[in-house]
Amino acid sequence: MVYNRIKNVLRAFRFAGRYNHAEEFSSGNVNNTYHLYYDLTDGSTTEYVLQQINTYAFKNPEEVMCNIVRVTEYLRSTMEAAGESTDNRVLTCIPTLKGEYMHRDGEGNYWRAYCYIHDAIAYDRVERPEHFYEAGRAFGEFQRILSDFPVSELYDTIPYFHDTRRRFYAFVAAIANDKAGRAGGLEAEIDFFFDRRKMMSEIVKRIDTGEIPLRVTHNDTKINNIMIDEHTGRAVCVIDLDTVMAGSALYDYGDAIRYGACTAAEDEPDVTKIGLDLELFREFTAGFLSEVGDLLTEEELACLPLSIKVMTCELAMRFLTDYLDGDLYFKVNSPDHNLIRAHAQMRLLEDIEEKYESICRITQGLIAARH
Ligand code: GN1
Ligand code: MG
């Protein structure tokens, strides 16, 4: 039962009212997340989100919370200074009774809580194209507001998170170690990544040479990390800030297209259903450029199409690496889940490669039209 898993933790936080019930969110692949309902004395309900931080992924949860507190305070004060309401638009952390933003339970697990973003939905799949435009606008706005934040002051919560060169070495090590005894029979998959080794290193290479700047980026820009207002269809709040740290604008752009513009789910087993929806890709790109079109450098703008390939290749390889390691990182619902995810992302990448000329042409048109 959900309650048994969280009952000792609830007491640690300054929640208002009386606990009513809790539900588990199923969509995250890394942390465990619960939706809490509390009754207030006036008869109304208030809701919270409680999360157990996955310490296999995040080795230093204190640093994660430090980044989140700083970034949310910065977003809030910038919006207030611009005369905008911040209600429901920025994550609000709930302190513990000790006045901290993290609780460590008796078993050494780390927990944190937020106010629930009300009247809004985190879609796992794009249901209406205009929502994806909104997602692009919101992730772009997030980067634009944080463009004045001192990026070097953020902790690297997962060092080298999108460093595709290191990810490639980790993949090669996983094949060599073959911890789960699964490498046999994966020759075609392994060749797939060796064939794309140069392509996937093109962004980190440009970061190393200084051609592409480091910015404060979100680094996990799935559509379900944006809350969409259920009445207006506007994006209200960017969530899942665990990986906010120094990164490239291209990571956020490419990963959002990879996930949201795909014609099927990230773990669709029937690869014939998988492809890149050019209409959705255009929507997100237009929304993103409406906020950062003037902020991004010429080099960043030129690399937008490349980033879609790089991020799709990275995720395909991460899923296959985790499959080879025996499913240590991502949550799985079957022994083949990570392999299914890897195959889906590989098929998506092939389709992106086939449509690459159209992707470049549409992007150039949107860049030219941004003024
Ligand atoms: C994880 O936690 P979630 O589901 O938002 C992962 C992302 C992957 C994504 C793939 C910290 O995101 O990098 O793109 O799964 N987050 C982390 O679904 O590794
Ligand atoms: Mg998430």
Side-chain angles (χ1 to χ4, degrees), residues 52-119:
Q52 181 187 353
I53 302 180
N54 177 331
T55 49
Y56 185 78
F58 297 99
K59 307 286 184 220
N60 198 330
E62 267 97 10
E63 294 185 354
V64 172
M65 285 320 285
C66 223
N67 279 2
I68 293 177
V69 169
R70 287 211 56 199
V71 162
T72 51
E73 277 173 1
Y74 191 88
L75 291 169
R76 191 170 280 112
S77 60
T78 309
M79 288 178 189
E80 278 167 2
E84 294 168 22
S85 156
T86 54
D87 176 40
N88 225 27
R89 292 201 54 213
V90 183
L91 281 179
T92 304
C93 304
I94 306 292
T96 64
L97 299 185
K98 292 184 193 157
E100 294 160 352
Y101 286 114
M102 177 114 65
H103 169 66
R104 190 168 181 270
D105 70 16
E107 288 154 37
N109 300 313
Y110 288 87
W111 300 81
R112 46 97 190 281
Y114 296 114
C115 290
Y116 184 76
I117 306 290
H118 49 87
D119 302 317

Side-chain angles (χ1 to χ4, degrees), residues 263-283:
T263 52
E266 192 180 51
D267 57 357
E268 169 58 55
D270 179 358
V271 294
T272 63
K273 293 186 180 156
I274 295 172
L276 186 84
D277 183 322
L278 285 174
E279 174 57 25
L280 291 181
F281 143 76
R282 176 200 284 275
E283 289 287 337

Side-chain angles (χ1 to χ4, degrees), residues 12-274:
F13 288 91
R14 289 189 198 163
F15 295 130
R18 212 183 142 80
Y19 173 82
N20 182 304
H21 73 286
E23 291 158 2
E24 185 165 7
F25 282 112
S26 58
S27 71
N29 285 334
V30 174
N31 295 323
N32 293 328
T33 309
Y34 305 90
H35 184 174
L36 314 179
Y37 297 78
Y38 275 69
D39 296 329
L40 299 177
T41 43
D42 66 1
S44 64
T45 301
T46 183
E47 294 158 69
Y48 300 100
V49 172
L50 177 71
Q51 283 191 306
Q52 181 187 353
I53 302 180
N54 177 331
T55 49
Y56 185 78
F58 297 99
K59 307 286 184 220
N60 198 330
E62 267 97 10
E63 294 185 354
V64 172
M65 285 320 285
C66 223
N67 279 2
I68 293 177
V69 169
R70 287 211 56 199
V71 162
T72 51
E73 277 173 1
Y74 191 88
L75 291 169
R76 191 170 280 112
S77 60
T78 309
M79 288 178 189
E80 278 167 2
E84 294 168 22
S85 156
T86 54
D87 176 40
N88 225 27
R89 292 201 54 213
V90 183
L91 281 179
T92 304
C93 304
I94 306 292
T96 64
L97 299 185
K98 292 184 193 157
E100 294 160 352
Y101 286 114
M102 177 114 65
H103 169 66
R104 190 168 181 270
D105 70 16
E107 288 154 37
N109 300 313
Y110 288 87
W111 300 81
R112 46 97 190 281
Y114 296 114
C115 290
Y116 184 76
I117 306 290
H118 49 87
D119 302 317
I121 300 171
Y123 290 97
D124 281 323
R125 299 284 314 282
V126 176
E127 289 182 9
R128 294 178 37 195
E130 55 272 32
H131 288 169
F132 206 37
Y133 177 96
E134 274 296 304
R137 195 189 54 71
F139 280 129
E141 179 187 46
F142 185 83
Q143 281 193 5
R144 185 177 52 71
I145 296 180
L146 290 167
S147 62
D148 292 328
F149 186 97
V151 60
S152 59
E153 292 179 16
L154 290 177
Y155 292 106
D156 272 338
T157 53
I158 303 183
Y160 308 107
F161 190 52
H162 290 307
D163 185 326
T164 36
R165 274 196 300 232
R166 287 186 185 245
R167 294 265 182 209
F168 186 82
Y169 300 140
F171 170 62
V172 173
I175 301 166
N177 297 336
D178 197 13
K179 276 192 227 162
R182 290 169 164 177
L186 292 176
E187 291 78 11
E189 286 83 349
I190 292 168
D191 285 350
F192 183 97
F193 295 105
F194 274 81
D195 289 347
R196 289 162 177 82
R197 182 178 179 180
K198 181 169 177 301
M199 178 279 289
M200 72 173 119
S201 70
E202 292 292 338
I203 293 177
V204 268
K205 201 179 81 189
R206 286 172 171 80
I207 292 174
D208 284 353
T209 59
E211 286 164 87
I212 286 184
L214 283 179
R215 303 180 181 280
V216 178
T217 50
H218 182 283
N219 294 304
D220 185 5
T221 48
K222 289 157 67 165
I223 174 101
N224 61 15
N225 286 333
I226 291 280
M227 302 299 297
I228 305 273
D229 186 299
E230 60 191 30
H231 307 295
T232 64
R234 293 270 291 177
V236 280
C237 185
V238 176
I239 61 169
D240 195 354
L241 304 180
D242 296 339
T243 49
V244 172
M245 56 184 157
S248 165
L250 297 166
Y251 299 153
D252 285 3
Y253 171 78
D255 197 38
I257 301 277
R258 166 194 79 78
Y259 186 88
C262 184
T263 52
E266 192 180 51
D267 57 357
E268 169 58 55
D270 179 358
V271 294
T272 63
K273 293 186 180 156
I274 295 172

Side-chain angles (χ1 to χ4, degrees), residues 1-9 24 32 34 111:
M1 227 181 93
V2 170
Y3 179 66
N4 284 328
R5 266 181 274 154
I6 60 174
K7 63 178 185 225
N8 293 329
V9 177
E24 185 165 7
N32 293 328
Y34 305 90
W111 300 81

Side-chain angles (χ1 to χ4, degrees), residues 305-355:
L306 170 68
S307 74
I308 305 172
K309 289 201 287 194
V310 171
M311 297 309 292
T312 307
C313 194
E314 179 192 308
L315 261 294
M317 196 170 66
R318 284 179 65 192
F319 288 137
L320 194 63
T321 303
D322 201 33
Y323 178 71
L324 289 164
D325 284 344
D327 312 317
L328 300 174
Y329 189 97
F330 295 107
K331 292 195 231 170
V332 288
N333 58 26
S334 73
D336 284 350
H337 201 175
N338 272 318
L339 184 61
I340 291 169
R341 287 171 173 145
H343 284 154
Q345 300 299 296
M346 288 162 70
R347 175 61 209 131
L348 177 61
L349 178 53
E350 285 172 343
D351 194 57
I352 293 166
E353 289 166 352
E354 283 158 30
K355 292 178 176 151

